[in-house]
Amino acid sequence: MASQLKVDTLTGVTTAGSIVVTGEGTATTNLQQGLAKVWASLEQGSTYSTRDSFNLSSHGDGGTGTSILTFTTNFGNANHAATSMGSNINNVAGNDSDSLVQTSSQVRIGLYDVGNNSAQDGSYLTVSIHGDLA
C-alpha cells in the first residue's frame, strides 16, 4: 500500500537546517546541499527577459551574449556552482568570469558561438546554481 506524507515544514533533529536522505547502498545525501538555490529560464537580446525563475532578483545585459544574474538571497560565499545551457546548436554557455568576478550576490553567464568564434545572444538561456546560501 502506498503511503502519503503531508507536512508544511521538515526540520532535522540533530541540526535544524540539515536533513540526511538515505540513498543507494549505505550512501547518504544532505537534502539541502542537493537543491538548486537559483534557477532561471531567460532570453537575451533586445529584451533580456526572464521567463521563469527562483531566487533571481534581476537579469541584466552585460553585452552581446552576456547576462548578469543578481540573486534575491545571496550565497554564503562566491564559491557557488553555475550550470547553464544556450539555445543555438553551436553555442557554449558558461560562467563569464573574465570581466566580472563571481560574487556571493551575482554571476555573469556568457553565451559563445563556437561555429562563428564570437559571443552571441540566445533566445533561450537556462541556468541552475548550487551552493550554500548566506
Side-chain angles (χ1 to χ4, degrees), residues 35-75:
L35 299 174
K37 304 306 187 325
V38 177
W39 60 261
S41 174
L42 311 165
E43 179 177 352
Q44 293 178 319
S46 61
T47 62
Y48 272 80
S49 62
T50 302
R51 289 186 180 85
D52 199 3
S53 67
F54 174 74
N55 195 26
L56 185 68
S57 172
S58 67
H59 168 222
D61 183 354
T64 303
T66 302
S67 291
I68 301 170
L69 309 181
T70 303
F71 315 131
T72 303
T73 301
N74 291 347
F75 284 87

Side-chain angles (χ1 to χ4, degrees), residues 94-102 108:
N95 183 345
D96 179 8
S97 62
D98 289 341
S99 53
L100 174 73
V101 175
Q102 179 171 301
R108 185 178 287 239

